Amino acid sequence: MDILRFITAGNVDDGKSTLIGRLLYDTKQIFADQLEAIESSGRVNEDGQVDLSLLTDGLKAEREQGITIDVAYKYFSTERRKFIIADAPGHIQYTRNMVTGASNSNLSIILVDARKGVQEQTRRHSIISSLLGIPHLVICINKMDLVGYDEQVYDQIVEDYKQFARKLRAKEITFIPVSALKGDNIVEGSELTMPWYQGPSLLEHLEQVPVSQDFNLEDARFPVQYVIRPLTAEHHDYRGYAGKVISGTYKAGDKVTVQPSGQSTTVKSVELGGRLLEEAFAPMSVVLQLADEVDISRGDVIVKAADNLEVAQEFEAEICWMHNKALKPGAKLLLRHNSTETRCVVRHIDYKIDINTLDHLEDVDQVQLNDICRVQIKTASPLLLDKYADNRSNGGFILVDETSFATVGAGMVAEIAY
Amino acid sequence: MTKRYLDYLDQLEAEAIHIMREVAGQFEKPALLFSGGKDSITLVRLAEKAFRPGKFPFPLVHIDTGHNFPEAIRYRDELAERLGEKLIVRNVEETIKRKNLSEPKGRYASRNALQTHTLLETIEEFGFDACIGGARRDEEKARAKERIFSVRDEFGQWDPKRQRPELWNIYNGRITKGENVRVFPISNWTELDVWNYIKREGIALPNIYYTHERECLVRDGKLMAWSDFIFQEPDDVVVTKQVRFRTVGDMTCTAAVESIAHDIDGVIAEILESKISERGATRIDDKLSETAMEDRKKGGYF
């Protein structure tokens, strides 16, 4: 059994929390006591049924306001798969929380209200999903019950969305007409209400989407997190490099290079918990021992000797800005990339992306909360980078404020100068 | 080409190990909070995978309320001994005496809230900057909202509105002196995942997790272990039942469930059949108000 991590996005009131509630309810993953708790809250929807959105709105402030403020993570499984849902807020002021949920997802469900069609938030969330490299997009046209399950309404929205989506980078876009409230096409099909729809229900689609191909198994990258040195009689000379294979594969005998120093050696063994492994591949956490004594510490990256390497201090990146304090050219920040932290300067803001059209707005002198922009960055120490589009695990980084230590930006490497 | 496929338990394990190593790499004085319950026992196994053949880069720390199950305490001491790892125990009892704190009284009396005092004192005493805990997001709706690295202020408080965005597998553990980070490596595991992992790894647990005969008080439809610590009322009925525990916390606020499961397969079968959530079945403390957990966490609790 594997894991599919997905995010639900879309405008406020498009029914995200209801959709998740329905997925959990119809797959019988809601416990009686949890249901009882939301029943006893006395909140019901217009049909007099329990308000399933209360299952995911876990904070007091959320229940008071009836909106989702932060990402809630929910879990369910079927015989085919384990699912991790990031239920992201739809409200524009919480876009950064949507980015948080999206960064680890393989699939985005974007809800569209059938009565309203493609909205600004539909486009915004689609663009963020696309920028964050989520390979699978599912556009759920919801509230079909409120438009009489009309095929033409559905077709028109699909048409409008496709028009807009031509500029997106998503690998695969799937459209499903649903009613989260009534349960049409969520877990069960919709033969009675929408006989014109021949595709899978949402759950059937989620069970089928291939996820194993989403890992890059070509370019071997192993950032060292921690050096294991027992210094005991039994393991006197033991030196193990603990880390995660974020992409590619490693086995004993592989020729490797340590970056950024450039020293070369060979993998002596691949281990986990003191046991030898034949091979390690992404996303395994393991320990590598090397044939020669080389100087390696946290933040160094062990790569395969034959791989294309881009060790750089200057690069261009797309940034989602996540802080109230505006970003201005010349800003000095901390940059964290895998296990490395270095100082950096944002040298130039090339353009801001218009979230509705994907157009580039040039000549901007500052970037506000929730803006997405393209910048030029220079770092204090060299980093081993990949373009985000080539390697999602090695192309992302975060920006941290030097004094408050708040995480202020999410970055994706676009071009590397070397 | 060989098929490279990671089972869901391997994926969860890989993620948890990565998180533990980030703690080791980013912090000066981390600790692993260990209660002798199944979730923290799972954390200890994950720490072995993350750091062996080396030693753990942190001690095990137990905040002992004095109302714990003796079986869990015995297990705690034996495990630390067998692993050769350092165990620090701090007692709520001592905090109560030293700071002259009032103990809650009455039917729902529990030291759960007092535990926070001892925890925060212990963090201060040793200068811990990161505390690894076994909380899972599937346990409770407020926990479902928490980040894996959860920054707490100098009073240990959680502010859900000021959580840091957490992107990819990059964790920002930067804090100012006095603050600390609570780290939850098994955030993405469910109760069933933990049991399946314990089964796969062949981990021994305190025997209270399996069926045994026990004298229990029936309170609000729940079976509370009979002990000297529990508040007793004249009309309380004591019954002897075949029970086991789904969670192991304080004896005063952790209820038993009726069970015939004498081994791990039996436990897994029972959980698959259960219509009640883990905490719903067993915890009195969550039921006191709709926001009981959120309020406790805002006050410095895990």
Side-chain angles (χ1 to χ4, degrees):
Chain A
M1 199 157 74
D2 59 9
I3 302 179
L4 176 72
R5 295 176 192 242
F6 68 90
I7 183 170
T8 50
N11 211 348
V12 186
D13 292 330
D14 282 352
K16 291 182 300 295
S17 300
T18 309
L19 179 113
I20 291 173
R22 177 59 67 186
L23 265 177
L24 298 172
Y25 187 77
D26 286 0
T27 54
K28 303 194 171 44
Q29 318 258 340
I30 298 179
F31 291 108
D33 57 305
Q34 294 167 336
L35 210 54
E36 203 178 287
I38 58 171
E39 276 164 358
S40 69
S41 75
R43 261 176 59 179
V44 290
N45 60 37
E46 57 260 45
D47 277 13
Q49 293 174 319
V50 293
D51 185 350
L52 292 173
S53 70
L54 292 178
L55 283 170
T56 52
D57 287 341
L59 300 174
K60 194 173 167 185
E62 293 179 317
R63 288 190 296 274
E64 279 168 1
Q65 299 172 47
I67 59 164
T68 308
I69 293 171
D70 209 339
V71 191
Y73 293 89
K74 289 280 159 191
Y75 306 84
F76 74 104
S77 51
T78 64
E79 284 183 7
R80 304 201 40 178
R81 224 167 226 173
K82 179 181 164 76
F83 298 94
I84 300 180
I85 315 173
D87 175 24
H91 203 282
I92 188 165
Q93 78 186 91
Y94 299 115
T95 300
R96 62 180 200 160
N97 296 342
M98 189 249 161
V99 173
T100 286
S103 70
N104 282 318
S105 293
N106 299 90
L107 181 144
S108 258
I109 295 178
I110 294 169
L111 273 97
V112 178
D113 186 330
R115 297 169 305 172
K116 298 179 186 156
V118 175
Q119 304 269 298
E120 182 179 333
Q121 283 298 74
T122 318
R123 288 190 287 268
R124 181 186 296 268
H125 290 168
S126 301
I127 289 168
I128 292 171
S129 300
S130 160
L131 277 170
L132 281 158
I134 295 179
H136 313 280
L137 284 190
V138 181
I139 313 306
C140 274
I141 294 145
N142 190 25
K143 307 198 183 181
M144 286 301 291
D145 53 309
L146 298 181
V147 295
Y149 297 107
D150 187 341
E151 184 179 5
Q152 282 180 353
V153 172
Y154 170 76
D155 285 345
Q156 185 59 50
I157 295 171
V158 170
E159 191 54 37
D160 291 348
Y161 189 89
K162 282 184 171 163
Q163 200 65 13
F164 148 78
R166 278 188 299 212
K167 292 178 185 170
L168 296 181
R169 298 171 197 161
K171 263 199 257 172
E172 179 202 69
I173 303 178
T174 307
F175 298 90
I176 305 179
V178 303
S179 165
L181 189 66
K182 310 278 186 185
D184 298 294
N185 269 341
I186 303 294
V187 171
E188 304 298 329
S190 60
E191 294 78 8
L192 289 176
T193 52
M194 291 178 275
W196 44 267
Y197 174 75
Q198 305 298 322
S201 73
L202 177 61
L203 182 68
E204 283 167 350
H205 180 68
L206 296 176
E207 285 185 317
Q208 288 162 12
V209 164
V211 284
S212 52
Q213 293 97 307
D214 295 342
F215 288 105
N216 175 331
L217 292 173
E218 299 299 315
D219 310 304
R221 307 278 181 261
F222 185 86
V224 175
Q225 291 181 273
Y226 185 79
V227 182
I228 296 176
R229 294 207 62 198
L231 297 170
T232 53
E234 191 190 350
H235 297 285
H236 194 262
D237 297 320
Y238 185 98
R239 208 184 280 251
Y241 301 101
K244 192 182 187 75
V245 181
I246 60 168
S247 58
T249 65
Y250 291 84
K251 60 179 190 301
D254 281 345
K255 286 189 171 26
V256 292
T257 306
V258 181
Q259 294 296 350
S261 72
Q263 305 166 85
S264 292
T265 178
T266 307
V267 174
K268 189 166 88 186
S269 70
V270 182
E271 306 166 11
L272 178 62
R275 277 177 43 203
L276 285 180
L277 300 177
E278 203 169 298
E279 184 191 59
F281 53 90
M284 290 168 77
S285 285
V286 295
V287 176
L288 298 184
Q289 281 201 83
L290 303 177
D292 302 293
E293 276 203 16
V294 275
D295 175 24
I296 303 179
S297 49
R298 176 177 163 85
D300 290 345
V301 189
I302 300 173
V303 301
K304 291 255 193 92
D307 283 342
N308 289 331
L309 301 171
E310 313 221 35
V311 182
Q313 281 178 263
E314 288 177 60
F315 58 95
E316 289 178 41
E318 276 151 352
I319 304 276
C320 298
W321 189 248
M322 301 176 143
H323 205 262
N324 293 325
K325 213 159 79 181
L327 168 69
K328 294 179 184 157
K332 291 209 170 73
L333 296 156
L334 297 170
L335 184 151
R336 183 176 285 276
H337 172 252
N338 289 314
S339 305
T340 312
E341 192 178 82
T342 175
R343 299 184 60 166
C344 77
V345 57
V346 176
R347 299 170 78 184
H348 188 253
I349 299 171
D350 295 347
Y351 54 81
K352 218 158 88 171
I353 295 174
D354 182 320
I355 215 75
N356 285 304
T357 58
L358 276 172
D359 288 344
H360 298 168
L361 309 171
E362 286 171 34
D363 298 325
V364 284
D365 55 2
Q366 56 176 292
V367 174
Q368 310 288 348
L369 174 69
N370 295 324
D371 278 346
I372 295 171
C373 61
R374 170 94 162 219
V375 298
Q376 294 173 22
I377 288 181
K378 182 175 187 190
T379 58
S381 22
L383 296 172
L384 180 89
L385 297 168
D386 285 296
K387 285 187 206 171
Y388 190 79
D390 298 336
N391 192 343
R392 217 176 146 188
S393 317
N394 200 45
F397 60 89
I398 62 169
L399 296 171
V400 175
D401 187 87
E402 281 188 307
T403 52
S404 71
F405 300 138
T407 301
V408 292
M412 290 152 283
V413 176
E415 283 298 334
I416 305 165
Y418 51 99
Chain B
M1 202 181 93
T2 38
K3 196 169 169 223
R4 296 184 175 99
Y5 165 85
L6 268 196
D7 183 61
Y8 76 105
L9 282 179
D10 292 316
Q11 286 190 50
L12 293 173
E13 181 191 66
E15 180 181 73
I17 292 172
H18 174 255
I19 293 162
M20 286 213 176
R21 289 168 172 172
E22 278 307 290
V23 173
Q26 290 194 33
F27 295 93
E28 301 271 326
K29 294 254 342 183
L32 190 153
L33 294 183
F34 182 74
S35 66
K38 66 178 190 315
D39 300 308
S40 56
I41 290 170
T42 299
L43 289 182
V44 168
R45 171 56 56 97
L46 291 164
E48 286 184 79
K49 296 232 181 177
F51 303 110
R52 290 291 185 248
K55 287 191 79 79
F56 294 176
F58 38 68
L60 309 180
V61 173
H62 185 216
I63 306 301
D64 190 339
T65 61
H67 292 174
N68 288 83
F69 290 91
E71 295 92 335
I73 298 298
R74 208 156 48 230
Y75 183 99
R76 173 195 79 186
D77 295 339
E78 284 167 12
L79 183 78
E81 174 76 33
R82 180 169 59 76
L83 293 175
E85 297 291 345
K86 188 174 176 191
L87 172 70
I88 294 169
V89 178
R90 285 295 176 269
N91 295 296
V92 173
E93 189 83 45
E94 284 169 23
T95 316
I96 294 173
K97 282 190 192 137
R98 187 159 25 86
K99 299 184 93 177
N100 197 19
L101 301 174
S102 330
E103 280 223 50
K105 295 188 176 60
R107 200 172 158 81
Y108 298 104
S110 144
R111 285 181 168 176
N112 212 321
L114 292 173
Q115 209 175 349
T116 303
H117 287 266
T118 316
L119 172 64
L120 297 179
E121 274 191 346
T122 311
I123 288 173
E124 211 171 297
E125 178 189 350
F126 292 93
F128 292 135
D129 47 7
C131 298
I132 301 169
R136 310 187 318 265
R137 285 170 175 157
D138 80 321
E139 286 180 83
E140 211 277 335
K141 56 187 183 298
R143 277 201 169 145
K145 295 273 172 182
E146 195 158 14
R147 302 279 189 255
I148 289 173
F149 270 41
S150 177
V151 179
R152 305 295 179 96
D153 68 12
E154 59 178 316
F155 302 100
Q157 300 178 113
W158 182 58
D159 182 353
K161 286 197 175 176
R162 287 189 52 207
Q163 298 201 89
R164 290 175 179 171
E166 198 155 81
L167 297 133
W168 301 289
N169 301 314
I170 307 173
Y171 302 101
N172 173 8
R174 281 278 193 150
I175 47 173
T176 41
K177 192 109 185 122
E179 294 179 324
N180 67 86
V181 179
R182 309 286 168 86
V183 181
F184 305 112
I186 59 168
S187 283
N188 286 324
W189 300 39
T190 63
E191 181 190 18
L192 198 57
D193 296 334
V194 170
W195 279 104
N196 280 322
Y197 188 72
I198 287 168
K199 178 184 172 180
R200 189 187 85 174
E201 295 289 311
I203 302 169
L205 293 182
N207 52 18
I208 52 176
Y209 279 110
Y210 302 106
T211 188
H212 57 284
E213 212 165 68
R214 186 179 283 267
E215 289 191 316
C216 299
L217 275 183
V218 185
R219 177 156 294 168
D220 298 341
K222 291 198 161 51
L223 297 168
M224 307 302 297
W226 171 259
S227 72
D228 294 342
F229 315 129
I230 196 153
F231 180 79
Q232 293 160 25
E233 287 174 299
D235 57 344
D236 273 337
V237 186
V238 178
V239 291
T240 303
K241 293 269 189 190
Q242 280 298 123
V243 296
R244 65 176 203 89
F245 289 86
R246 264 172 96 172
T247 64
V248 173
D250 223 85
M251 289 185 89
T252 56
C253 62
T254 313
V257 292
E258 285 195 70
S259 167
I260 53 161
H262 56 83
D263 62 9
I264 204 150
D265 289 318
V267 170
I268 290 171
E270 280 188 2
I271 295 170
L272 283 169
E273 283 297 306
S274 176
K275 298 202 168 16
I276 310 283
S277 73
E278 181 182 276
R279 292 191 83 87
T282 60
R283 300 306 282 247
I284 301 289
D285 45 338
D286 286 353
K287 296 284 174 90
L288 299 179
S289 85
E290 208 199 346
T291 53
M293 171 75 89
E294 184 177 341
D295 294 341
R296 281 208 307 276
K297 281 152 62 70
K298 283 177 176 167
Y301 184 75
F302 255 84

